[in-house]
Amino acid sequence: MSESALHGHGHGHGDGGEDGPSWTRAATLLQDAAPITVPEGASAMTIHVHWEPGDPGTPPHRHPGPAFGYVTKGAVRFELEGEPERVVEAGGTFWEPGGDAIHYQDGNALADEATEFVVTMMCAPGKPMLELVDEEELKQRAHLRAPATHRLTSTPHV
C-alpha cells in the first residue's frame, strides 16, 4: 500500500470518494497505536482466542512486547494497568504496550455467548509471550490499577 493509502489522515473507506483504483479504497484503518516499543530481535505471533460464555479469561499477566487485538465475535472485558476497565465489542480493537504493564482482564464480557478475538504480539527473544503476575506483585502495584469505581459491575449483553 502507498503511504497515502494508509498512513495519511485519509484512512480507508469514505475518505476519497469512489475515484481512483480500488486498492486505494480497500483497506480500513482499525487502530493506530503510538508510541510503541518493540523489543530488539522480537518475533511476531498472531493467535486466535476463543472464550466460552462467561469465561474470565487469563489471570493478571504481562507481555514482553506490544500486543494488538481485534474482536471478531462477542465482547471482551479488557483492563490494562492504569486504565479503567472497558468492553471491546465485535469489530473493535485493543492494544497494550507490553513490557512492565499488567493486563488485568481479557475475558468474555458475555454470560450467554462465546467471544473470540485475534491478537498479534511482539515477543522478546528468550521470553514467553505471556507471564502471569503473582499475588505479591499485584499487592505491590495496587496503587497503579484504576479505581474499582471505574470497573464494570455487571456483564453487558452486546
Side-chain angles (χ1 to χ4, degrees):
M1 297 258 152
S2 72
E3 182 72 18
S4 63
L6 288 178
H7 296 292
H9 287 287
H11 301 296
H13 303 290
D15 64 342
E18 298 300 317
D19 297 336
S22 63
W23 67 268
T24 64
R25 300 182 313 273
T28 300
L29 179 69
L30 297 176
Q31 71 176 334
D32 187 4
I36 65 166
T37 302
V38 177
E40 186 174 334
S43 61
M45 171 187 303
T46 300
I47 63 171
H48 174 261
V49 177
H50 174 95
W51 294 130
E52 291 296 328
D55 193 314
T58 310
H61 62 279
R62 62 173 50 98
H63 302 284
F68 306 89
Y70 178 75
V71 181
T72 58
K73 177 181 177 184
V76 173
R77 188 179 294 269
F78 186 87
E79 182 187 357
L80 191 61
E81 188 171 66
E83 298 178 7
E85 179 183 339
R86 63 190 171 103
V87 172
V88 182
E89 298 177 6
T93 63
F94 57 88
W95 87 282
E96 57 185 283
D100 194 44
I102 296 174
H103 185 174
Y104 286 96
Q105 295 188 60
D106 69 356
N108 189 345
L110 306 177
D112 58 350
E113 293 180 37
T115 286
E116 299 181 9
F117 61 92
V118 175
V119 62
T120 298
M121 296 170 280
M122 306 297 159
C123 302
K127 297 238 182 193
M129 68 112 174
L130 181 144
E131 173 189 341
L132 296 181
V133 178
D134 64 32
E135 288 296 322
E136 182 61 31
E137 185 175 359
L138 290 174
K139 288 178 189 172
Q140 292 172 358
R141 295 173 68 111
H143 66 286
L144 299 173
R145 190 172 186 183
T149 56
H150 290 106
R151 289 199 280 281
L152 301 172
T153 56
S154 63
T155 302
H157 183 79
V158 177

